[in-house]
Every structure is written in structure tokens, then in C-alpha cells.
Amino acid sequence: MELNGSQIVIECLKEQGVDTVFGYPGGTILNIYDEMYKHSDEITHILVSHEQGAAHAADGYARSTGKVGVCMATSGPGATNLVTGIATAYMDSVPLVAITANVAKSGLGKDSFQEIDIVGATMPITKHNFIVKDIENLADTIRKAFRIAKTGRPGPVLVDITKDVTANKYNYEKQEPVKVERISDTIKKEDIDIVVEMIKSSKKPFILVGGGAVISDAAKEVRELAELVDAPVCDSLMGKGAMDGNSERYTGMIGMHGTKTSNYGVTMCDLLLVLGARFSDRVIGKAKAFANNAKIVHIDVDPSEINKNIKADASIIGDMKEVLIRLNSALTKQNHADWMQEIKEMKEKYPLALNKDVLTGPAVIDSLYNITNGDAIITTDVGQHQMWAAQFYKFKEPRQLITSGGLGTMGYGVGACIGAKMGNKNRVCVNVAGDGCFRMNMNEIATATRYNIPIIQIVINNHVLGMVRQWQTLFYGKRYSNTVLDDSVDFVKIAEGMGAKAYRATTVEEFENALKDAIALNIPCVIDCQIDQDEKVFPMVPANTAISEVFSEEDLAEKGYDC
């Protein structure tokens, strides 16, 4: 049947099973929005407050559901406002399709009103991108975009469509989406056999779980591997939930703000099994000093990650779930009782510091965990609060922690929380942000209230840019250059002005009462938690030093350092 380009866009979205789109209209994309209006009973459109919020919402939807997230924007500034969100998704391998419209084909390259080369601008931060100038290419391009976004190592794909294409007509025939197969043809039996022998020869194995295990839905296989190898397990920020945070084997996060047990354990182990992690600088610290006592096995779907940051002694390329199914079936149960006892004693010796007598970041997260029974989806912005969330919320399953890891995007959380809630309407969804981050995209609270999307926003409010101030305290002689936010901004009044229920908490009891009330009300709520400006995240590893150099606040106090 003959349809115009806008109709083809909507039909292709329906083909792909898209039920929610986040976006903001404008001149060049009006034709698509007009068609969207006619299909509002099939595809829910969430009008955000800013296009960056649309990209973050699509990202949060994708991370929390495993589906492809979709966002839309008009040309020029509408398209460029998506860029930070696209880059955020790219760094963390999130399947996302961004659809933008551009000026008509005849106006390209002429500095037309709101013209921008968004394909050129996003080329370094997309898995692939397209500009559609001819309607006969439109349907196949959209289908290809979805396929690329979710194949192998996922990532964002941008489709830019000229306005004339959205109006022109062409024959459309419905197609069933091509089933995306897990990458398994790269998995070699000889590679599996090598790793099996390395495991059998190991006396002190350790498992490091990265985001690839979450993306491939391999939590069951990760946990089976840990039992078969009889090994302790740590994770990166992106790997949270692949291993149950309550497991006796779990030692916590590794890296700059990882636990002493994870950092010391990886330093001491003789075999490190790395599952879908890219050896970020925040994980490994000084590369030359990372896991020097261990042979390293790197398992990843992306061959370009092997030997990129850390040299591996063995590797297996392929989808994590498929690799682990084969590896587990080839393994017999190992016994490392002495090593596991050593790790257990280390965990007891080096617990995370938690003071529940006053309202602190860790106290907020601990109460949040207890009140939600560890079942909530937690989104975060970036900074101290992000690390506290990673440290003190015991994630039981994958896709519970939605956070910007690679790009470290302040202002990410509110949009991501809206997206997560739209994809998980029966789950409690909470965004944890610092006051600096919340200022950046707090206008998305108005999006939540417009549609009555019942997210809970917790603001860890210390009236400073907390993580930057922490570095200024420890490494810059307490010269607090442009990190103090002690002004007259009142988040309670702002939240109420945007239609949300708002609370201010200065004690643990006040916070817990506010959180219970917010959950019961099931409407958009904001809780402003007032904490001390000099609260810090510990443990900590200084930049470019070995992770074995991890220190706590007590270590600094013993050296006479006042922080």
C-alpha cells in the first residue's frame, strides 16, 4: 500500500514493537508528529521538558527493559540537544534509536533555518547513523537501525530524515522484524578448553563482572560459574545485579570507590575471570599495577576490547550468555575453601562505614534499600550519591541500577527514571541525585507530573558539588573553586511549583517517613535530604595509582590527615 514517509515511520515503529517514544516536536518533524497523533492509542508519546531528557528517558527505558529505547527531535537545536544523551548511551552500550528530521533535501548545505549536520555531529558517538534523503530507503533504514542497535554489542543509532521524505509517498509492505541472534560463531572450543584448564590450575580465582553480563541477561550463568569455580565475585558499576549483592561470594564493587576486599582480592588472586568489562581506568587504576599476580581471562562480545587496556592471557569472544553456558558445561566443581575463607575474613575486617545516627548519603541509601526490600529500580545522576548508591544498595538482579558509567553525565537521572518507570510500571522507581546534578535537568519533574508518572526523586543535598569538593579537599589544598552551591534555591518549593509532592528531611527518621509516604501515594515526589557538605565517599583510590593503594577515612585519620 502507498503511504507517506511519516506513516511509514510509524508503521516501522509498530513493526518493531515500540510502545513508548520520548521526544519534543518542531518544524521539520511536524509531519511525523501529526501521524503520531493518529496512533496515540498504539504508541505512547512522552513530551519531555528538554530534548536531552528524551534521550535519557529512552536510555533508561532501554537499560531497564532490555528493549530498544526510542527518542525523537526536530532539526537544529532539537537534534543537538540529543547529543549528550546519545553519547551517554554509546559509552555504556545501550540500544537506542534516535529519530530526527532535517530540512528538505533541497535545503541541505545552504545554512537553512535550523539546519544541522546531525549525522556528522554524532558519527563518533553512535554505533551507526543514517540520513534518509529518498523515501524508497526509509523503511529499510529504520529496520536496519533497530537491528544494528541491538545486535552484538548494543549501541545508539541515529536516523535523520529530510522533511520532504516525511511527506512523499512510497509503497510500504509490513515486515516481521528479523530475529537478532546471539553471537556464538566466534566461540571456539579450543578457547573454552584453555580457560577450563586455567581454572583447574588456579588456587585463588576471582571473578570480575562487567556490564556485558547484564546486557546479555547472563546473571543465571554468572552465578553458576561462581559456584563451579568456587570463587569470590566483584563487579564494575555497570555490572551491578548480575551477581546478587547479598551473596556470600559477593565482595562489592572494584576500583576507585570499590571495597578494600575487592581491590585487595583482585590484587592477590592468581586467576582473574573478567566477564564483559572493558577495564575502565576507574576500575583498574594504574594499568601496569593491575592484577599483577594473576593470569587474566577476558570474555567479551567485542573483539576490539581484548588487549585494549589490559593484556589478557586468554580470551573468548562471543555473547556472554552463550559463552558461559558452554564454559559452565565444560567445568567440574572446584574447591577453594581456604581462599574463600580468606576473602570472608577480609570482608569482616573491611566493612563499608555506615553511621545511622545522622542523615548521611550512606544512611539514605541504606534506608532506601531496607524500605524497598531491595526490589526498586534505582537510577542515579553522577557523583558522590552515585557511588553511595552503588556501595549501599544491594542489587539482587540485573537492570536494577540505571546509571551513567562511561560518560558520567550529570543531569541523567530524572529522565532515565521516567524511562525506567514507563517500562516497568509495577516497580518502584527512584532517582538519586546530588543537588548539583538535580539542578541540571530538574525540569523533567514537570514531565513526570504532566503524565502522573510516579517516580520518587531523592536529592542528596549538601549545597556543594560533592565529588569535586572531595577531590579539592584531598588533593587541592581545600581550595574550593566554584564548587559551593550555598544559595537560596529551595528544591521543595520548586518541586511543588512543578506539581510534585515534596518533603524536606534532616534526620534519618524524617527521610524514612517521607519515603514510605511517597511510595504509598504513588505520585511524583521529591525528597530533599539535607546532609553535611563535607561527607565523603570512602574507600577511595587516587587517580593513576594501583587499586591496592585503596584507603579509608580511618586510614587518613591514622596518618593525622584532617579531611
Side-chain angles (χ1 to χ4, degrees):
M1 64 180 139
E2 191 174 66
L3 299 177
N4 65 38
S6 299
Q7 292 170 319
I8 291 173
V9 169
I10 300 303
E11 291 303 320
C12 286
L13 293 180
K14 288 160 58 179
E15 279 181 11
Q16 299 295 326
V18 174
D19 55 23
T20 308
V21 173
F22 307 89
Y24 207 99
T28 60
I29 203 168
L30 267 177
N31 291 334
I32 294 175
Y33 268 83
D34 186 56
E35 194 60 34
M36 180 89 69
Y37 179 86
K38 302 169 187 174
H39 293 269
S40 57
D41 58 333
E42 298 170 281
I43 299 176
T44 298
H45 180 275
I46 300 298
L47 174 64
V48 295
S49 299
H50 187 284
E51 289 92 350
Q52 185 176 329
H56 293 329
D59 176 304
Y61 178 95
R63 294 192 205 221
S64 64
T65 64
K67 301 176 185 177
V68 177
V70 181
C71 58
M72 287 185 178
T74 195
S75 62
T80 57
N81 281 344
L82 294 177
V83 167
T84 297
I86 292 171
T88 300
Y90 180 74
M91 289 291 283
D92 292 341
S93 303
V94 178
L96 185 148
V97 171
I99 297 174
T100 56
N102 215 321
V103 300
K105 183 178 178 180
S106 61
L108 291 175
K110 297 180 181 179
D111 292 333
S112 303
F113 178 67
Q114 291 192 332
E115 180 195 357
I116 193 75
D117 178 11
I118 194 62
V119 168
T122 58
M123 195 170 290
I125 56 167
T126 50
K127 191 176 177 185
H128 201 84
N129 60 17
F130 305 88
I131 181 168
V132 182
K133 304 176 187 177
D134 300 294
I135 189 162
E136 56 263 33
N137 300 324
L138 180 58
D140 286 345
T141 299
I142 293 174
R143 291 164 182 150
K144 190 182 294 184
F146 276 86
R147 189 165 64 251
I148 291 171
K150 57 188 176 182
T151 301
R153 182 178 185 170
V157 179
L158 179 131
V159 180
D160 193 35
I161 309 167
T162 59
K163 186 169 184 178
D164 52 310
V165 168
T166 69
N168 294 342
K169 292 189 175 182
Y170 191 71
N171 187 55
Y172 163 81
E173 292 183 10
K174 182 178 179 180
Q175 292 185 12
E176 290 298 316
V178 176
K179 185 179 179 182
V180 175
E181 300 291 344
R182 294 179 180 271
I183 293 178
S184 59
D185 57 348
T186 55
I187 305 172
K188 296 181 173 62
K189 183 179 183 300
E190 52 265 38
D191 292 339
I192 297 281
D193 292 342
I194 289 170
V195 173
V196 168
E197 290 306 311
M198 292 173 74
I199 291 171
K200 287 181 178 178
S201 301
S202 171
K203 303 298 182 186
K204 295 183 175 184
F206 216 113
I207 298 172
L208 165 57
V209 183
V214 173
I215 292 167
S216 65
D217 297 316
K220 176 175 176 288
E221 290 73 23
V222 167
R223 298 173 191 195
E224 288 176 359
L225 178 69
E227 293 299 321
L228 285 167
V229 178
D230 193 22
V233 181
C234 66
D235 54 24
S236 69
L237 184 66
M238 293 290 96
K240 288 286 174 187
M243 190 67 183
D244 186 345
N246 293 291
S247 169
E248 290 185 357
R249 297 189 179 280
Y250 181 64
T251 61
M253 190 166 64
I254 187 176
M256 181 171 283
H257 292 293
T259 64
K260 283 190 173 183
T261 304
S262 293
N263 286 353
Y264 290 159
V266 166
T267 302
M268 295 162 56
C269 74
D270 64 7
L271 177 67
L272 182 62
L273 299 169
V274 183
L275 313 181
R278 58 188 178 85
F279 293 109
S280 156
D281 57 299
R282 289 296 175 98
V283 165
I284 65 173
K286 186 177 181 180
K288 290 182 179 179
F290 181 74
N292 280 345
N293 297 310
K295 292 187 175 180
I296 296 176
V297 174
H298 194 179
I299 303 174
D300 207 286
V301 75
D302 186 353
S304 70
E305 288 296 338
I306 307 301
N307 298 325
K308 186 178 83 174
N309 294 330
I310 292 291
K311 188 178 185 306
D313 296 281
S315 61
I316 307 173
I317 307 299
D319 177 84
M320 185 61 59
K321 190 178 187 73
E322 290 295 322
V323 170
L324 292 186
I325 287 172
R326 300 183 194 191
L327 180 59
N328 290 346
S329 67
L331 279 170
T332 54
K333 182 78 168 68
Q334 305 296 299
N335 187 332
H336 300 109
D338 291 344
W339 173 234
M340 287 304 301
Q341 180 62 29
E342 189 174 353
I343 293 296
K344 180 182 178 182
E345 291 172 2
M346 208 182 302
K347 286 173 66 175
E348 292 170 352
K349 183 178 180 181
Y350 302 119
L352 292 170
L354 173 64
N355 180 7
K356 292 279 284 186
D357 293 333
V358 294
L359 191 65
T360 63
V364 167
I365 304 301
D366 183 67
S367 292
L368 174 62
Y369 172 77
N370 291 327
I371 290 171
T372 60
N373 195 33
D375 293 324
I377 293 175
I378 307 298
T379 66
T380 81
D381 278 87
V382 172
Q384 289 179 315
H385 63 277
Q386 179 189 34
M387 295 297 101
W388 287 323
Q391 290 175 332
F392 289 94
Y393 202 97
K394 302 178 184 69
F395 296 95
K396 296 193 250 185
E397 58 190 58
R399 305 190 184 279
Q400 267 192 280
L401 177 62
I402 312 298
T403 191
S404 171
L407 197 63
T409 305
M410 293 178 70
Y412 168 80
V414 188
C417 197
I418 289 171
K421 186 63 178 180
M422 290 302 298
N424 302 268
K425 293 181 180 176
N426 295 322
R427 300 283 294 270
V428 173
C429 293
V430 181
N431 182 51
V432 182
D435 49 319
C437 288
F438 186 54
R439 290 164 183 255
M440 290 195 172
N441 274 343
M442 63 184 172
N443 50 357
E444 297 305 338
I445 293 296
T447 304
T449 59
R450 180 185 300 119
Y451 296 99
N452 195 29
I453 302 170
I455 63 169
I456 299 172
Q457 168 67 58
I458 296 172
V459 183
I460 308 292
N461 191 352
N462 53 10
H463 301 279
V464 294
L465 299 178
M467 188 61 87
V468 186
R469 181 184 176 89
Q470 177 166 333
W471 278 65
Q472 289 172 331
T473 299
L474 296 176
F475 308 115
Y476 288 85
K478 298 186 179 181
R479 295 182 294 277
Y480 300 123
S481 176
N482 292 286
T483 50
V484 178
L485 305 175
D486 194 10
D487 50 31
S488 300
V489 174
D490 187 327
F491 291 132
V492 170
K493 289 182 179 179
I494 290 171
E496 290 173 343
M498 288 189 285
K501 175 73 173 174
Y503 311 79
R504 183 171 287 110
T506 59
T507 66
V508 173
E509 183 181 14
E510 287 176 351
F511 169 70
E512 291 182 343
N513 289 337
L515 179 61
K516 290 173 184 176
D517 195 43
I519 293 171
L521 286 173
N522 199 36
I523 60 174
C525 293
V526 175
I527 308 174
D528 179 14
C529 299
Q530 301 282 321
I531 72 165
D532 187 85
Q533 64 181 5
D534 284 313
E535 284 290 327
K536 292 179 179 62
V537 180
F538 288 110
M540 184 177 184
V541 178
N544 302 315
T545 61
I547 59 172
S548 58
E549 298 296 314
V550 58
F551 61 83
S552 65
E553 192 169 18
E554 291 74 23
D555 294 330
L556 292 180
E558 287 178 7
K559 295 178 180 179
Y561 187 87
D562 178 19
C563 64

